[in-house]
Amino acid sequence: LPFSDETLLSPRDVTGCFSSTYLEAREKFLRICECNDLVVDSRLNPNTEGSRGEQLYTDIVRIGPADAPKILLLISGTHGVEGYCGSGVQTGLLKSGAFEFIPDDTSVVMIHAINPYGFSHDRRVTEDNVDLNRNFIDFDALDRPKSNYDEIHDALLPSDWDGEGRGRADAQLAAYIQARGMRDFQAAVSSGQYQFADGLFYGGDRETWSNTTLRSVVSDYLSDARLLGIVDFHTGLGPYGHGELIAIGSSEDKARAQAWYDGQTTDPEKGTSSSADLDGMLAHCIARALPDADLAFITIEFGTLDVNKVLSALRGDNWLNQIKNRESPLRPAIKRDIRAAFYPEQDDWKQSVWSRSRKVIELALNGLAKTSLE
Ligand SMILES: [Zn+2]
């Protein structure tokens, strides 16, 4: 089931699928759905608005029969600003007619902008400063996942962004890395924390809107699926333009992903990934919601800038979000940095995102096709 050459897009068409704002991205997605006679299910986030005062929606579309036992699920915007990448790919796939000849037992479901607030505001987090991919924990449980984040919170969020406080904080982080090593530092920063609502990689103290919405979409669209290939699009880790395939889930699910993707998948638990091992991920939520389905879940991570630049951009954006800093004259520079860290707008990056994604989606469809249902 290889994609035919007819599903190739010209370089110009590829760049045309990517956008400069959430509004533009949504409009392109809706337009290409309309051209394909697809019905879009739009879910309004009633709690907040976009950076231009616009209403914020997560849009869902299904290609293929509603009762298909095999489903390919493609998710964009889990981390807000990273949505430019996944949205461009989703629009590109529809534009290229990639799904015109999928088998009768298969459907494709796309979730566009699951975190529309972060997408519109060029932030990685939701409207409540929550990292959605750390928010899928059991909030009724007494214990929260533990990390060493508390050891570095103060240094990650300095008193000022361009003065002595920043200098002291950077020195403190450098000392931590020196003493503990880069891997432990990355885990402390990014594995998720549930103590500091004003901090980085905060998992929240309740389910955020995007969490509730994701779970209702899973129940509405996926509850009858027996075999699911899932691709969640991310940016900001790894080499520029490279798409690392991070397998998430049970060991059985990871083995399935490894087989589908020609042995290319990495595993944070084994330390083979550029990502730390995480708690409360969207993948865990889907697996729990569909206990009888077989899954092959990958997070695809497209690299952007050097990891230090990405972390610095995240710290700046978090600093800027503190109420006392919101009117800072540093705002334009900080917003430029966060955007560049998660969305390099160069054409070569978009081309490499597209060609890698197209191959990955082809492998996913092949994986679904060659796996027989018991
Ligand atoms: Zn991400």
Side-chain angles (χ1 to χ4, degrees):
L1 185 86
F3 280 156
S4 78
D5 285 350
E6 280 162 36
T7 68
L8 285 167
L9 292 179
S10 72
R12 208 193 148 126
D13 279 342
V14 171
T15 50
C17 291
F18 289 82
S19 301
S20 302
T21 63
Y22 159 77
L23 268 176
E24 187 191 349
R26 176 166 194 250
E27 202 180 292
K28 283 181 181 172
F29 182 72
L30 294 182
R31 202 185 315 135
I32 197 69
C33 286
E34 199 186 327
C35 290
N36 285 279
D37 293 321
L38 297 169
V39 182
V40 179
D41 170 3
S42 300
R43 312 230 173 156
L44 173 71
N45 182 336
N47 307 321
T48 184
E49 58 179 29
S51 60
R52 288 160 179 78
E54 75 272 26
Q55 293 196 306
L56 296 172
Y57 294 90
T58 293
D59 296 295
I60 304 106
V61 71
R62 174 168 45 217
I63 304 110
D67 58 355
K70 296 180 178 181
I71 298 181
L72 174 63
L73 172 66
L74 307 177
I75 304 165
S76 70
T78 298
H79 285 140
V81 60
E82 301 176 19
Y84 289 107
C85 167
S87 170
V89 174
Q90 288 173 325
T91 295
L93 289 166
L94 290 171
K95 191 175 176 72
S96 68
F99 304 127
E100 263 168 49
F101 302 105
I102 51 173
D104 293 340
D105 65 353
T106 304
S107 69
V108 179
V109 174
M110 292 194 195
I111 303 178
H112 184 266
I114 187 62
N115 167 12
Y117 168 89
F119 197 155
S120 176
H121 288 265
D122 284 342
R123 300 203 69 207
R124 194 173 162 282
V125 290
T126 62
E127 57 275 17
D128 28 19
N129 199 46
V130 164
D131 183 334
L132 180 59
N133 220 20
R134 310 289 183 275
N135 186 241
F136 294 95
I137 62 164
D138 176 7
F139 286 103
D140 292 330
L142 291 174
D143 291 331
R144 295 280 178 269
K146 291 269 187 306
S147 78
N148 294 326
Y149 179 86
D150 55 334
E151 299 173 355
I152 47 173
H153 172 69
D154 290 344
L156 289 170
L157 179 53
S159 52
D160 63 67
W161 191 241
D162 61 350
E164 280 177 26
R166 171 75 185 280
R168 273 194 308 274
D170 286 2
Q172 206 181 318
L173 294 180
Y176 191 95
I177 294 169
Q178 182 80 29
R180 309 282 280 272
M182 195 59 195
R183 224 180 157 82
D184 277 10
F185 172 69
Q186 193 192 348
V189 176
S190 69
S191 62
Q193 55 89 11
Y194 299 84
Q195 264 181 291
F196 301 89
D198 61 348
L200 292 168
F201 298 88
Y202 175 56
D205 62 359
R206 71 199 71 182
E207 287 161 13
T208 188
W209 178 84
S210 299
N211 176 327
T212 313
T213 301
L214 191 271
R215 286 184 304 108
S216 78
V217 171
V218 168
S219 138
D220 294 348
Y221 287 82
L222 310 178
S223 48
D224 294 333
R226 293 168 60 198
L227 181 66
L228 268 156
I230 305 170
V231 183
D232 188 19
F233 287 87
H234 289 255
T235 63
L237 280 178
Y240 179 88
H242 171 73
E244 177 183 341
L245 309 181
I246 307 172
I248 318 220
S250 67
S251 49
E252 200 185 324
D253 291 350
K254 285 178 186 169
R256 187 173 296 110
Q258 185 77 334
W260 286 17
Y261 297 103
D262 292 341
Q264 295 176 59
T265 56
T266 59
D267 184 349
E269 264 184 288
K270 292 187 181 139
T272 56
S273 167
S274 63
S275 169
D277 195 22
L278 307 174
D279 278 312
M281 297 181 82
L282 187 151
H284 303 140
C285 157
I286 296 179
R288 279 194 299 270
L290 307 169
D292 300 326
D294 289 335
L295 270 53
F297 189 111
I298 55 163
T299 290
I300 183 163
E301 268 289 355
F302 286 98
T304 53
L305 304 176
D306 167 75
V307 66
N308 295 308
K309 285 204 176 120
V310 173
L311 178 59
S312 171
L314 281 173
R315 288 171 69 204
D317 180 64
N318 188 54
W319 178 87
L320 186 65
N321 189 53
Q322 311 300 311
I323 290 164
K324 62 180 186 337
N325 302 331
R326 283 186 189 165
E327 306 302 320
S328 166
L330 298 173
R331 169 174 286 274
I334 289 175
K335 293 313 284 185
R336 251 194 324 273
D337 283 352
I338 183 93
R339 194 177 162 106
F342 292 97
Y343 183 36
E345 292 188 60
Q346 295 92 313
D347 285 355
D348 66 333
W349 190 83
K350 294 172 186 170
Q351 300 296 341
S352 92
V353 164
W354 166 250
S355 56
R356 172 75 166 154
S357 298
R358 188 174 174 275
K359 285 195 196 92
V360 166
I361 298 307
E362 191 174 33
L363 289 173
L365 287 171
N366 273 313
L368 284 167
K370 73 190 178 194
T371 308
S372 54
L373 301 169
E374 283 132 34

